[in-house]
Amino acid sequence: MDFNMKKLASDAGIFFTRAVQFTEEKFGQAEKTELDAHFENLLARADSTKNWTEKILRQTEVLLQPNPSARVEEFLYEKLDRKVPSRVTNGELLAQYMSEAASELGPTTPYGKTLIKVAEAEKRLGAAERDFIHTASINFLTPLRNFLEGDWKTISKERRLLQNRRLDLDACKARLKKAKAAEAKATCEGDTVPDFQETRPRNYILSASASASEQELRIAQTEFDRQAEVTRLLLEGISSTHANHLRCLHEFVESQTTYYAQCYRHMLDLQKQLGSSQGAIFPGTFVGTTEPASPPLSSTSPTTTAATMPVEPSMAGMAPSGETALCLEEVAPPASGTRKARVLYDYEAADSSELALLADELITVYSLPGMDPDWLIGERGNKKGKVPVTYLELLS
């Protein structure tokens, strides 16, 4: 019990000394040991890394799960070390509603058939979104969270300990300064007044106090230097943290690229299905569906909006390519239905029935009865041939 009371009294005394030193520094009444410029830069970089990591983590969580209630629920499950239950994505829920609507409204009607096709596509989109969220959470969010909950807590603990060591050091400096001043004052008084016998004990006490303060200062300086070196090593480790976060960022971009590529393929397949069915329902008319047109996967050209004009069912296999090329030269464009189109990407003709294209050139396009909805007839001067609609942007 005596030991605990002594320790409690000692801790209270240390806390009070630090509080006094801190308060006097704030009011400019005490000197403060300054850290070197390199150390200050390390501290600033660590604080900046922590702040931006928190912001990126929070916003990425919002991107992956826009519903704040769901985010709170997932947070509570993680804190309780329980598995987060599987959640239906918005795309999967929409697919479920569309399937139920098709069953009730009639799966054999044109509207019902289309609802079923769109529901299947939305279901695939929802599954792709689920995979993306899972991959991004493991490869990107988890490392950021581990830094904030692990490395940063260690750095913060050592920084607080360094702050306490600095306050102890500056308090020792202040006590030594006061002891030296008192000793010098006593020495001056001894020189100007008779050396009475009662002044000798006081001078001895002041000298002993100054010696004790010097010893405390040496110990405090050693502890401060040791703690500063520990903290410096941890702060320099932020460079390794940046390298790790860079690798995780690359993995996040890869997973996001895969996700959007899957979505593009699913929607392109759906558009082709809907274009074919609409061409059968409304033969001989232009269908103004739009899709994000992009070059082949090996290209890095930016995504642009293109228009397709699917018409009647495909005539693939009805005539050899040579006969098709001859027929194209003899067929005149329809009186109505021609449009101007801008070429988005270079295209090399696969055979004589196709028209080679150069990016940004303008051509005239139209459709013929029975053509594949993915192709149009293109004219440039006296040249004519089939052109893929995904390489075009229809203007008028």
Side-chain angles (χ1 to χ4, degrees):
M1 184 66 181
D2 292 340
F3 174 78
N4 292 336
M5 288 299 298
K6 290 180 179 179
K7 184 176 185 302
L8 181 62
S10 176
D11 292 342
I14 293 174
F15 176 79
F16 178 76
T17 302
R18 291 171 180 170
V20 171
Q21 178 65 27
F22 182 80
T23 304
E24 290 180 349
E25 288 177 359
K26 289 299 181 181
F27 286 98
Q29 298 176 358
E31 295 181 358
K32 176 181 177 181
T33 300
E34 299 293 341
L35 301 171
D36 60 85
H38 177 63
F39 201 98
E40 293 288 353
N41 291 335
L42 291 177
L43 290 173
R45 187 177 67 155
D47 290 334
S48 180
T49 300
K50 180 256 184 182
N51 293 334
W52 284 111
T53 301
E54 284 182 335
K55 292 180 181 180
I56 293 173
L57 175 64
R58 287 196 299 266
Q59 192 57 38
T60 306
E61 290 175 344
V62 172
L63 173 68
L64 299 180
Q65 178 52 266
N67 188 343
S69 300
R71 293 200 302 274
V72 172
E73 181 181 352
E74 293 174 357
F75 174 79
L76 293 177
Y77 273 103
E78 291 177 359
K79 290 301 180 182
L80 296 174
D81 291 332
R82 298 179 60 183
K83 183 179 179 181
V84 180
S86 179
R87 191 185 305 275
V88 178
T89 62
N90 294 328
E92 292 172 328
L93 187 60
L94 177 59
Q96 178 183 344
Y97 290 163
M98 287 185 171
S99 298
E100 294 175 357
S103 300
E104 184 172 341
L105 299 177
T108 58
T109 64
Y111 182 42
K113 291 179 179 179
T114 302
L115 280 174
I116 293 174
K117 292 180 180 179
V118 177
E120 292 175 352
E122 293 295 337
K123 185 176 181 180
R124 290 193 292 268
L125 291 176
E129 181 184 1
R130 183 192 302 276
D131 293 340
F132 168 61
I133 293 175
H134 177 71
T135 304
S137 298
I138 294 177
N139 296 338
F140 189 61
L141 292 184
T142 299
L144 298 185
R145 196 175 289 116
N146 289 341
F147 166 72
L148 294 174
E149 297 177 357
D151 296 348
W152 181 253
K153 287 186 176 181
T154 302
I155 292 175
S156 300
K157 177 182 176 182
E158 297 300 331
R159 286 178 67 176
R160 288 193 298 270
L161 189 56
L162 177 64
Q163 174 74 353
N164 291 337
R165 294 288 183 263
R166 187 196 62 76
L167 290 173
D168 294 342
L169 175 62
D170 290 337
C172 289
K173 289 180 179 180
R175 284 197 298 269
L176 178 61
K177 186 177 181 180
K178 291 178 181 178
K180 290 287 187 181
E183 184 179 10
K185 183 179 180 181
T187 302
C188 292
E189 290 178 353
D191 293 339
T192 56
V193 298
D195 186 19
F196 295 107
Q197 195 168 6
E198 62 270 14
T199 63
R200 293 177 181 177
R202 188 184 65 175
N203 293 342
Y204 176 78
I205 293 174
L206 292 175
S207 178
S209 175
S211 299
S213 298
E214 290 178 353
Q215 180 65 21
E216 291 178 356
L217 177 60
R218 285 193 294 268
I219 296 175
Q221 185 69 54
T222 301
E223 292 180 351
F224 172 77
D225 293 341
R226 184 186 301 113
Q227 185 59 38
E229 183 62 24
V230 172
T231 308
R232 183 192 302 273
L233 293 176
L234 290 174
L235 294 175
E236 290 175 348
I238 292 293
S239 298
S240 300
T241 300
H242 287 181
N244 182 42
H245 288 182
L246 175 62
R247 178 183 58 81
C248 297
L249 184 60
H250 279 285
E251 294 179 355
F252 174 71
V253 172
E254 288 294 333
S255 61
Q256 198 170 29
T257 302
T258 301
Y259 167 61
Y260 285 118
Q262 290 175 344
C263 293
Y264 172 77
R265 287 195 296 270
H266 294 329
M267 294 309 297
L268 190 61
D269 293 341
L270 175 62
Q271 188 189 43
K272 291 179 180 179
Q273 295 178 27
L274 297 183
S276 300
S277 61
Q278 264 189 318
I281 298 172
F282 307 105
T285 61
F286 293 107
V287 180
T289 58
T290 61
E291 71 175 31
S294 72
L297 294 178
S298 60
S299 173
T300 57
S301 301
T303 302
T304 317
T305 301
T308 61
M309 299 185 296
V311 286
E312 295 182 359
S314 174
M315 57 174 285
M318 294 181 61
S321 60
E323 296 181 14
T324 304
L326 293 176
C327 293
L328 291 178
E329 296 297 333
E330 299 173 358
V331 173
S336 61
T338 61
R339 303 179 69 174
K340 290 291 185 181
R342 185 175 68 86
V343 179
L344 299 175
Y345 319 105
D346 293 345
Y347 176 75
E348 185 177 352
D351 53 47
S352 59
S353 66
E354 297 180 2
L355 181 65
L357 302 175
L358 295 176
D360 295 329
E361 69 173 334
L362 295 178
I363 61 173
T364 301
V365 295
Y366 54 89
S367 177
L368 294 177
M371 281 193 65
D372 188 327
D374 292 335
W375 294 83
L376 294 172
I377 303 300
E379 287 189 0
R380 182 180 59 241
N382 58 354
K383 293 184 179 181
K384 182 186 305 183
K386 295 189 301 181
V387 293
V389 294
T390 54
Y391 282 71
L392 302 176
E393 177 186 7
L394 299 182
L395 301 178
S396 61

